[in-house]
Amino acid sequence: MRLLGTNTSPYTRKVRLVLLEKSIPCTYVVDPPREPGSEVPRTNPLGRIPALVLDDGTVVYDSPVICEYLDARYDTAVLIPRSDPETRMRVRRWEALADGIMDSAVVIRVESMRPAEKQDATTLSVHGAAITRALAFAARELSGRAWCEGSALTLADLALVSALLYLDLRQPERDWRGTHPELRAWAATMCERPSVRATLP
Ligand SMILES: N[C@@H](CCC(=O)N[C@@H](CS)C(=O)NCC(=O)O)C(=O)O
Protein backbone atom coordinates (compact mmCIF):
# COMPACT_ATOMS: atom_id res chain seq x y z
CA MET A 1 0.00 0.00 0.00
CA ARG A 2 1.31 3.49 -0.90
CA LEU A 3 0.17 6.94 0.16
CA LEU A 4 0.83 9.84 -2.22
CA GLY A 5 0.96 13.21 -0.50
CA THR A 6 3.08 16.11 0.65
CA ASN A 7 4.37 17.11 4.07
CA THR A 8 2.52 20.44 4.03
CA SER A 9 -0.88 19.05 2.99
CA PRO A 10 -3.13 18.94 6.08
CA TYR A 11 -5.38 16.29 4.49
CA THR A 12 -2.32 14.10 3.89
CA ARG A 13 -1.23 14.65 7.46
CA LYS A 14 -4.60 13.49 8.78
CA VAL A 15 -4.25 10.24 6.83
CA ARG A 16 -0.63 9.79 7.95
CA LEU A 17 -1.75 10.23 11.56
CA VAL A 18 -4.38 7.53 11.09
CA LEU A 19 -1.76 5.18 9.59
CA LEU A 20 0.67 5.83 12.46
CA GLU A 21 -1.89 5.64 15.27
CA LYS A 22 -3.22 2.36 13.88
CA SER A 23 0.30 1.02 13.11
CA ILE A 24 -0.64 0.26 9.52
CA PRO A 25 2.36 -0.40 7.28
CA CYS A 26 2.30 1.89 4.25
CA THR A 27 4.91 3.46 1.99
CA TYR A 28 4.63 7.23 2.08
CA VAL A 29 5.56 8.87 -1.23
CA VAL A 30 6.07 12.65 -1.29
CA ASP A 31 4.54 13.63 -4.62
CA PRO A 32 3.45 17.26 -5.16
CA PRO A 33 0.62 16.94 -7.70
CA ARG A 34 1.69 19.89 -9.87
CA GLU A 35 5.31 18.82 -10.27
CA PRO A 36 6.16 17.60 -13.77
CA GLY A 37 6.15 13.81 -13.72
CA SER A 38 3.91 13.58 -10.66
CA GLU A 39 2.10 10.28 -10.39
CA VAL A 40 -0.94 11.97 -8.83
CA PRO A 41 -2.85 13.05 -11.99
CA ARG A 42 -2.37 9.57 -13.47
CA THR A 43 -3.54 7.95 -10.24
CA ASN A 44 -6.32 10.13 -8.83
CA PRO A 45 -8.62 11.48 -11.57
CA LEU A 46 -9.12 14.59 -9.42
CA GLY A 47 -5.36 15.20 -9.39
CA ARG A 48 -5.36 15.69 -5.63
CA ILE A 49 -3.52 14.40 -2.64
CA PRO A 50 -3.80 12.39 -0.51
CA ALA A 51 -4.31 9.36 -2.70
CA LEU A 52 -3.97 5.86 -1.28
CA VAL A 53 -2.91 3.15 -3.73
CA LEU A 54 -3.81 -0.33 -2.54
CA ASP A 55 -1.69 -3.37 -3.38
CA ASP A 56 -4.13 -4.42 -6.12
CA GLY A 57 -3.88 -0.97 -7.75
CA THR A 58 -7.19 0.37 -6.41
CA VAL A 59 -6.94 4.10 -5.70
CA VAL A 60 -8.76 5.53 -2.69
CA TYR A 61 -9.53 9.25 -2.35
CA ASP A 62 -10.37 11.70 -0.75
CA SER A 63 -9.13 11.94 2.83
CA PRO A 64 -12.44 11.16 4.65
CA VAL A 65 -12.90 8.09 2.42
CA ILE A 66 -9.29 7.00 3.01
CA CYS A 67 -9.61 7.44 6.79
CA GLU A 68 -12.88 5.55 6.95
CA TYR A 69 -11.50 2.75 4.78
CA LEU A 70 -8.35 2.36 6.91
CA ASP A 71 -10.32 2.43 10.13
CA ALA A 72 -12.81 -0.18 8.93
CA ARG A 73 -10.15 -2.37 7.31
CA TYR A 74 -7.80 -2.46 10.33
CA ASP A 75 -9.04 -3.10 13.86
CA THR A 76 -6.01 -1.68 15.67
CA ALA A 77 -7.20 1.30 17.72
CA VAL A 78 -10.69 1.96 16.31
CA LEU A 79 -10.82 5.67 15.49
CA ILE A 80 -14.40 5.97 14.21
CA PRO A 81 -16.72 4.38 16.79
CA ARG A 82 -18.65 1.60 15.12
CA SER A 83 -21.71 1.03 17.25
CA ASP A 84 -23.45 4.20 18.43
CA PRO A 85 -24.76 6.31 15.52
CA GLU A 86 -24.72 9.54 17.57
CA THR A 87 -21.10 9.13 18.64
CA ARG A 88 -20.12 8.17 15.13
CA MET A 89 -21.88 11.22 13.74
CA ARG A 90 -20.11 13.52 16.20
CA VAL A 91 -16.68 12.13 15.27
CA ARG A 92 -17.42 12.55 11.56
CA ARG A 93 -18.77 16.03 12.25
CA TRP A 94 -15.50 16.96 13.97
CA GLU A 95 -13.70 15.70 10.90
CA ALA A 96 -15.95 17.82 8.67
CA LEU A 97 -15.27 20.86 10.86
CA ALA A 98 -11.51 20.29 10.67
CA ASP A 99 -11.61 19.64 6.92
CA GLY A 100 -13.63 22.83 6.50
CA ILE A 101 -10.95 24.80 8.35
CA MET A 102 -8.36 23.25 6.04
CA ASP A 103 -10.49 24.04 2.96
CA SER A 104 -10.85 27.70 3.93
CA ALA A 105 -7.18 28.00 4.86
CA VAL A 106 -6.18 26.55 1.47
CA VAL A 107 -8.49 29.03 -0.32
CA ILE A 108 -6.89 31.90 1.62
CA ARG A 109 -3.41 30.58 0.85
CA VAL A 110 -4.14 30.36 -2.89
CA GLU A 111 -5.78 33.81 -2.93
CA SER A 112 -2.90 35.36 -0.98
CA MET A 113 -0.39 34.09 -3.50
CA ARG A 114 -2.04 36.13 -6.28
CA PRO A 115 -0.72 39.66 -6.97
CA ALA A 116 -2.16 42.02 -4.33
CA GLU A 117 -4.30 43.91 -6.87
CA LYS A 118 -5.91 40.68 -8.06
CA GLN A 119 -6.79 39.31 -4.62
CA ASP A 120 -10.48 39.14 -3.83
CA ALA A 121 -11.12 40.78 -0.46
CA THR A 122 -14.54 39.12 -0.12
CA THR A 123 -13.08 35.65 -0.60
CA LEU A 124 -10.40 36.35 1.97
CA SER A 125 -12.85 37.71 4.54
CA VAL A 126 -15.55 35.06 4.02
CA HIS A 127 -13.08 32.22 4.48
CA GLY A 128 -11.26 33.99 7.30
CA ALA A 129 -14.55 34.42 9.13
CA ALA A 130 -15.46 30.77 8.57
CA ILE A 131 -12.20 29.71 10.23
CA THR A 132 -12.81 32.11 13.12
CA ARG A 133 -16.31 30.67 13.71
CA ALA A 134 -15.11 27.09 13.38
CA LEU A 135 -12.34 27.66 15.93
CA ALA A 136 -14.80 29.20 18.40
CA PHE A 137 -17.14 26.25 17.91
CA ALA A 138 -14.31 23.76 18.44
CA ALA A 139 -13.19 25.55 21.62
CA ARG A 140 -16.74 25.52 23.01
CA GLU A 141 -17.21 21.85 22.22
CA LEU A 142 -13.86 20.90 23.75
CA SER A 143 -14.18 23.10 26.85
CA GLY A 144 -11.63 21.37 29.03
CA ARG A 145 -12.10 17.82 27.76
CA ALA A 146 -9.10 15.63 27.05
CA TRP A 147 -10.52 14.30 23.77
CA CYS A 148 -12.85 15.71 21.14
CA GLU A 149 -15.23 12.80 21.62
CA GLY A 150 -15.57 10.26 24.41
CA SER A 151 -12.69 9.08 26.56
CA ALA A 152 -10.10 8.10 23.99
CA LEU A 153 -8.38 9.26 20.83
CA THR A 154 -10.59 9.28 17.73
CA LEU A 155 -10.34 10.52 14.18
CA ALA A 156 -11.83 13.77 15.49
CA ASP A 157 -8.62 14.56 17.41
CA LEU A 158 -6.37 13.67 14.48
CA ALA A 159 -8.39 15.81 12.07
CA LEU A 160 -8.52 18.80 14.41
CA VAL A 161 -4.81 18.78 15.20
CA SER A 162 -4.05 18.57 11.47
CA ALA A 163 -6.21 21.65 10.84
CA LEU A 164 -4.75 23.67 13.72
CA LEU A 165 -1.15 22.92 12.81
CA TYR A 166 -1.89 23.87 9.22
CA LEU A 167 -3.04 27.25 10.52
CA ASP A 168 0.30 27.56 12.34
CA LEU A 169 2.03 26.94 9.03
CA ARG A 170 -0.04 29.20 6.76
CA GLN A 171 -1.55 31.78 9.10
CA PRO A 172 1.04 32.21 11.88
CA GLU A 173 -0.46 35.63 12.63
CA ARG A 174 -3.72 33.96 13.74
CA ASP A 175 -3.27 33.57 17.49
CA TRP A 176 -5.74 30.72 18.02
CA ARG A 177 -3.88 29.60 21.16
CA GLY A 178 -4.28 33.04 22.75
CA THR A 179 -7.92 33.39 21.69
CA HIS A 180 -8.90 29.87 22.76
CA PRO A 181 -6.99 28.53 25.78
CA GLU A 182 -9.10 25.33 25.59
CA LEU A 183 -7.63 24.61 22.16
CA ARG A 184 -4.13 25.52 23.32
CA ALA A 185 -4.20 23.06 26.22
CA TRP A 186 -5.67 20.25 24.13
CA ALA A 187 -3.26 20.87 21.25
CA ALA A 188 -0.24 20.92 23.57
CA THR A 189 -1.09 17.39 24.69
CA MET A 190 -1.76 16.23 21.14
CA CYS A 191 1.56 17.65 19.97
CA GLU A 192 3.39 15.34 22.37
CA ARG A 193 2.14 12.28 20.51
CA PRO A 194 4.87 10.54 18.49
CA SER A 195 2.55 10.44 15.46
CA VAL A 196 2.12 14.22 15.48
CA ARG A 197 5.84 14.77 15.97
CA ALA A 198 6.68 12.37 13.16
CA THR A 199 4.51 14.27 10.68
CA LEU A 200 5.76 17.81 11.25
CA PRO A 201 6.07 19.58 7.88
N1 LIG B 1 -11.28 17.03 0.06
C1 LIG B 1 -9.96 16.59 -0.31
C2 LIG B 1 -9.04 17.81 -0.45
C3 LIG B 1 -7.68 17.42 -0.98
C4 LIG B 1 -6.92 18.64 -1.52
O1 LIG B 1 -7.51 19.66 -1.86
N2 LIG B 1 -5.60 18.51 -1.59
C5 LIG B 1 -4.78 19.57 -2.16
C6 LIG B 1 -3.46 19.69 -1.45
S1 LIG B 1 -3.62 20.21 0.23
C7 LIG B 1 -4.47 19.23 -3.60
O2 LIG B 1 -4.14 18.11 -3.90
N3 LIG B 1 -4.60 20.21 -4.52
C8 LIG B 1 -4.32 19.99 -5.90
C9 LIG B 1 -3.16 20.81 -6.38
O3 LIG B 1 -2.44 21.39 -5.56
O4 LIG B 1 -2.96 20.82 -7.60
C10 LIG B 1 -9.45 15.60 0.71
O5 LIG B 1 -9.93 15.64 1.85
O6 LIG B 1 -8.63 14.73 0.40
Side-chain angles (χ1 to χ4, degrees):
M1 196 159 61
R2 294 185 307 132
L3 177 71
L4 309 184
T6 65
N7 293 342
T8 53
S9 160
Y11 313 97
T12 301
R13 186 178 204 173
K14 180 179 59 165
V15 172
R16 291 176 71 202
L17 290 175
V18 168
L19 288 165
L20 288 166
E21 291 289 346
K22 291 178 73 77
S23 304
I24 300 170
C26 180
T27 304
Y28 172 49
V29 181
V30 175
D31 188 350
R34 295 188 196 192
E35 295 263 307
S38 168
E39 187 186 337
V40 176
R42 285 180 277 124
T43 305
N44 176 355
L46 297 173
R48 292 185 195 157
I49 49 165
L52 183 73
V53 187
L54 306 185
D55 289 343
D56 68 357
T58 302
V59 181
V60 189
Y61 51 86
D62 54 20
S63 66
V65 180
I66 298 173
C67 291
E68 176 157 42
Y69 169 73
L70 292 173
D71 197 51
R73 178 74 181 72
Y74 298 87
D75 280 334
T76 45
V78 171
L79 296 172
I80 307 175
R82 292 177 185 170
S83 50
D84 179 40
E86 307 304 319
T87 312
R88 192 178 169 83
M89 175 276 289
R90 283 196 298 273
V91 168
R92 298 306 307 274
R93 190 178 70 161
W94 271 111
E95 184 187 22
L97 188 82
D99 285 4
I101 293 172
M102 299 176 199
D103 294 344
S104 283
V106 167
V107 169
I108 291 171
R109 159 93 177 147
V110 170
E111 196 62 32
S112 307
M113 285 168 64
R114 291 156 56 88
E117 68 278 7
K118 291 194 175 160
Q119 291 179 17
D120 183 53
T122 305
T123 298
L124 291 170
S125 83
V126 163
H127 286 279
I131 294 173
T132 300
R133 286 194 306 270
L135 291 175
F137 181 85
R140 274 199 310 276
E141 290 282 304
L142 260 178
S143 65
R145 298 151 50 108
W147 307 105
C148 288
E149 179 61 39
S151 55
L153 180 85
T154 65
L155 176 62
D157 302 287
L158 302 180
L160 185 60
V161 80
S162 301
L164 293 179
L165 296 182
Y166 186 66
L167 290 180
D168 282 350
L169 183 70
R170 298 299 189 211
Q171 300 184 16
E173 72 285 359
R174 185 186 276 278
D175 181 22
W176 57 266
R177 288 180 180 81
T179 312
H180 301 295
E182 308 89 338
L183 292 181
R184 182 185 63 217
W186 170 87
T189 308
M190 284 298 293
C191 285
E192 286 169 11
R193 296 186 80 81
S195 63
V196 177
R197 287 194 185 162
T199 54
L200 285 173

